[in-house]
Every structure is written in structure tokens, then in C-alpha cells.
Amino acid sequence: MRQDGGMQRDEGVIKYQCHWQSEPPLALETLAPLIQERDRLFAAGLIGVYPDGIGYGNVSLRLPGQGFVISGTQTGHLPTTGPEHYSQVTTWDIAQNYLHCTGPLKASSESLTHAALYDHRFRTGLSRIGAIAHIHHRGLWQQYQGILPTTCASVAYGTPAMAAEMIRLFHDTDLAVGRILVMAGHEDGLIAFGETVADAAQKLLDLATQGSAGTLFFSESLTSCESLDQRCMI
């Protein structure tokens, strides 16, 4: 889905302090909905790997009590996944840029952003976000900057600043209602969330289907990154 304009990507590198404890995977019964939707997003081209070998896209599911399970780092190239490709995030401290995870793999480099969303209560009265999907799609990323809730172009992925951007968007936009956002500073990146992982994935699949029908991709309508940054409060 990506048209490579020759930009150097800042992608796939864990930027937070990761304390990883190697453990066996969670049960398939727990992970089955996450695996199904992650692999469906891969089949649609929304999770995958760039020609230079850098993977993109991840999904997560809130667990009862504390924590969530998320696809492991550098798993974007896999057409199908199993329990061995997921990590459980048990604790985190966004201000300290710290995260603890357990499982066969380290958690995704985007885990701190997922954590920030799970921490935040809906303004609409829903008690929590149940699942999150992060995908890459060049056309949707271009078309919807400044139309959908959009993070500042100067804010990089996987950082406390990006986590703070999630909260800003809840306060300044209708993100709690639309449940989908564009990451202006994370090339090609979009995030959706919902009560279930199927809800989150379907929002992105629906958006991509509209694009393939020719209703998107008009780069002339882009809001410039500069003007987006002028509206950001960092």
C-alpha cells in the first residue's frame, strides 16, 4: 500500500525502556480473536513488511485486570501468526518511558502508545478500550491528515510524547466517538480502537475499502504538516 518517496523511515525500533521476561505464550483460547484479526489485516495489506525488511502494524487486546497482550516486535512480515508471536504487557510507566512484558517475544515498539489509550477513559461513558489496531496505508494516511483526529507531525512513534498526543486528541477532537486517528509523525500510520479487536480491525478495513473504490487519495487536499503542528499543543 506504500508509495516509497525515498524518505528515511523511523520504524520498528523499540524506543522505550523494555524489561522483557521470556516466558511461554498465553493460551490459544485467549489469543484466538487477536490472531484472527491480525492475520486478516495482513491479508488486506494493512500489516506487513516494507521492501527494506522493516515490518509494520500491530494489534492488541486488553486483558481482564491489569495489562494487555500485543503482537511481538518485528512480526509484521508473517502472513499468519500463533501464540508464540504475542507478548503480554503487564506494567508500564509512560512518564518514565518504561514497559514490562512477558512472553516468547518482546512487545511491539508501539506498545507505549497502546498503553496510553488503554489508560484513558472514554468521554462517551464507556469504561475502557477493549482492543487496538495499528496499520500502515499511504493513501489513507495522506488523505485523512487533518480530517480525522491527527497527531502532531513532530511527534515520533513509541515515545512518551506520542502517548501524550493520544490524550490530547481525546480532549481536543471527537476521537472518543470516531475511534480512529492518523499519526502524522509516523509515516503511513493509522490507529483504530473498539470494544473488541474485530471492531477495531473492521474500522480500518472499511476505510481501506472506501479507498480502493476510488473515493480517497487526492493528495491536493492534504493539510500541510506545518499547519497541523501549529494546532498541536505539546
Side-chain angles (χ1 to χ4, degrees), residues 1 32-48 58-59 76 78-81 86 133-135 196-209:
M1 293 291 185
L34 198 60
I35 291 171
Q36 177 178 327
E37 297 305 324
R38 182 271 174 201
D39 293 352
R40 190 158 69 113
L41 289 170
F42 181 95
L46 302 177
I47 289 177
N58 44 74
V59 294
L78 298 170
T80 60
T81 56
Y86 293 83
H134 167 55
I135 58 94
T196 68
V197 65
D199 292 340
Q202 194 60 52
K203 291 190 72 67
L204 294 164
L205 290 165
D206 288 346
L207 205 62
T209 299

Side-chain angles (χ1 to χ4, degrees), residues 2 18 35 46-47 52 57 60 65 105-106 117-119 145 157 163 172 178 185 202-203 215 222 227:
R2 184 176 185 275
C18 180
I35 291 171
L46 302 177
I47 289 177
D52 58 9
S60 70
L105 298 175
K106 291 182 179 180
L117 285 169
Y118 285 126
D119 274 348
Q145 286 187 46
Y157 83 91
D172 294 353
Q202 194 60 52
K203 291 190 72 67
T215 60
L222 273 174
S227 63

Side-chain angles (χ1 to χ4, degrees), residues 215-231:
T215 60
L216 306 177
F217 313 142
F218 299 103
S219 59
E220 296 81 11
S221 66
L222 273 174
T223 304
S224 71
C225 292
E226 180 179 359
S227 63
L228 284 171
D229 268 357
Q230 290 171 355
R231 295 203 300 271

Side-chain angles (χ1 to χ4, degrees), residues 99-213:
L99 183 144
H100 179 271
C101 60
T102 65
L105 298 175
K106 291 182 179 180
S108 165
S109 58
E110 286 282 3
S111 294
L112 208 63
T113 302
H114 288 242
L117 285 169
Y118 285 126
D119 274 348
H120 191 77
R121 300 286 177 176
F122 275 129
R123 291 183 302 176
T124 56
L126 293 175
S127 61
R128 64 184 176 92
I129 299 168
I132 299 166
H134 167 55
I135 58 94
H136 281 208
H137 188 297
R138 171 55 62 91
L140 300 178
W141 181 74
Q142 289 182 328
Q143 176 65 17
Y144 280 101
Q145 286 187 46
I147 298 173
L148 291 172
T150 302
T151 65
C152 297
S154 60
V155 175
Y157 83 91
T159 62
M162 180 60 78
E165 274 293 274
M166 301 295 107
I167 307 309
R168 181 185 71 81
L169 291 178
F170 273 109
H171 288 295
D172 294 353
T173 74
D174 64 349
L175 179 59
V177 178
R179 304 185 187 186
I180 188 167
L181 65 93
V182 179
M183 306 172 81
H186 183 37
E187 190 177 5
D188 301 350
L190 296 91
I191 287 178
F193 53 86
E195 295 182 59
T196 68
V197 65
D199 292 340
Q202 194 60 52
K203 291 190 72 67
L204 294 164
L205 290 165
D206 288 346
L207 205 62
T209 299
Q210 293 174 38
S212 65

